[in-house]
Amino acid sequence: MFSIRSLTRSVPRTLSRSIATSAARPLQRSAFFQPTWKLMSRPSYAPFSTSRPRFEAAGQVDVELAAKFQEELALETESGETEELPESVKYFLDNGPFEIIDKAGEEEVVLTRKFGDENIRVSFTIADLQNINPEEDFADSALQEELEMDQSRSNKDASPEENIDEQPLEPGYLARVDVTIEKPGKGAMHVDAVARDGLIQIENVSYFSKAELATAETPDKEWERQSLYAGPPFGNLDEELQTLIERYLDERGIDTALASFVPDYIDFKEQREYVRWLGNLKGFVGNN
């Protein structure tokens, strides 16, 4: 009896102790029920480098390019023509009435002079040499060939002495010339013209009550100038009036001598600026 009672008493205590122990022990979760974010591996990052980037001392083409600039520079300067004025240019500057303003590195060239109480300014640019129209150049070449053929035919009928004196004509390029004539208290007269083949060809004549508008050196002045009446095309004027204006300009040195000087000086200055350009870029690219 004791053993049976002891068994019946011990069973409830054992069962209750087992239940209590199970309740106190935390429930272990299997990996199958683990949250997804715990199963993911921690992200890996590339190691951060504190070393400085390496810069190349020079490009691979620098030396070769600098040498090519030097080669071109030597070819352009070996004759020494970039420093010596052509005889025609030197004669005009030494014997003409104009003073020249030519700043290194700039395209525009300015001639100035006094004529009585007038201040005369003539300007032109070497950009005209770079803006030659290929079609016009082709037309000039065709004209030159035709002139040479005509010259050859005429030479057959001429005496040897006449053939020595005659030279084939060489059509030149067109160079724009801006002329401004100022009078104290009277504003300015502005002339748009071109120099070609030893002649000054007038395109337009304008008058400005404000002398500074004739040159229009600022955007504001240029804007104000564009709104003013510029006059009719020169070719539409009465022929006698055209002749008198041409004589008026001729007296002030806007003549055939100037028309021959402008293209010659453009050639000289463009060559000199090209040599300066080569030297500047050679010095920039090279290490020395």
Side-chain angles (χ1 to χ4, degrees), residues 1-52:
M1 292 293 294
F2 178 78
S3 60
I4 295 175
R5 187 171 56 249
S6 298
L7 178 62
T8 56
R9 291 178 179 177
S10 63
V11 169
R13 287 198 299 268
T14 304
L15 180 61
S16 62
R17 188 182 300 112
S18 175
I19 294 174
T21 304
S22 299
R25 186 184 303 120
L27 180 63
Q28 297 292 332
R29 293 186 179 182
S30 65
F32 180 80
F33 294 102
Q34 291 290 332
T36 306
W37 63 271
K38 284 188 176 182
L39 296 177
M40 295 176 60
S41 60
R42 297 181 63 184
S44 59
Y45 299 95
F48 178 74
S49 175
T50 58
S51 61
R52 295 182 179 180

Side-chain angles (χ1 to χ4, degrees), residues 20 36 40 87 91 110-111 128 141 146 170 185 190 205 243 259 277:
T36 306
M40 295 176 60
E87 288 298 326
Y91 180 85
V110 177
L111 300 173
D128 288 336
S141 299
E146 184 177 352
E170 295 184 2
H190 182 266
V205 179
T243 301
W277 177 82

Side-chain angles (χ1 to χ4, degrees), residues 109-143:
V109 179
V110 177
L111 300 173
T112 61
R113 68 163 297 185
K114 293 282 292 184
F115 187 83
D117 63 344
E118 301 173 357
N119 292 318
I120 301 177
R121 181 182 188 272
V122 179
S123 64
F124 54 91
T125 173
I126 63 174
D128 288 336
L129 185 61
Q130 303 168 357
N131 297 332
I132 295 177
N133 190 334
E135 295 182 358
E136 292 182 358
D137 188 55
F138 176 78
D140 288 343
S141 299
L143 176 61

Side-chain angles (χ1 to χ4, degrees), residues 1 3 31 118 142 151 162 226 228 236 247 263 285:
M1 292 293 294
S3 60
E118 301 173 357
Q151 184 71 24
E162 293 176 347
Q226 290 178 357
L228 300 178
N236 292 351
R247 289 174 55 189
V285 174

Side-chain angles (χ1 to χ4, degrees), residues 60-155:
Q60 298 180 357
V61 190
D62 293 26
V63 175
E64 184 179 356
L65 180 57
K68 185 59 179 178
F69 276 128
Q70 177 58 40
E71 178 183 341
E72 292 294 317
L73 193 59
L75 289 174
E76 297 295 335
T77 57
E78 62 181 359
S79 63
E81 295 180 355
T82 57
E83 298 300 330
E84 297 182 4
L85 287 171
E87 288 298 326
S88 60
V89 171
K90 189 174 185 301
Y91 180 85
F92 178 87
L93 295 177
D94 291 343
N95 299 279
F98 290 97
E99 298 290 333
I100 189 168
I101 302 174
D102 180 4
K103 297 181 180 179
E106 294 187 4
E107 291 186 336
E108 187 181 54
V109 179
V110 177
L111 300 173
T112 61
R113 68 163 297 185
K114 293 282 292 184
F115 187 83
D117 63 344
E118 301 173 357
N119 292 318
I120 301 177
R121 181 182 188 272
V122 179
S123 64
F124 54 91
T125 173
I126 63 174
D128 288 336
L129 185 61
Q130 303 168 357
N131 297 332
I132 295 177
N133 190 334
E135 295 182 358
E136 292 182 358
D137 188 55
F138 176 78
D140 288 343
S141 299
L143 176 61
Q144 177 66 17
E145 292 179 0
E146 184 177 352
L147 291 173
E148 289 178 354
M149 292 179 63
D150 293 341
Q151 184 71 24
S152 177
R153 296 191 191 99
S154 62
N155 287 343

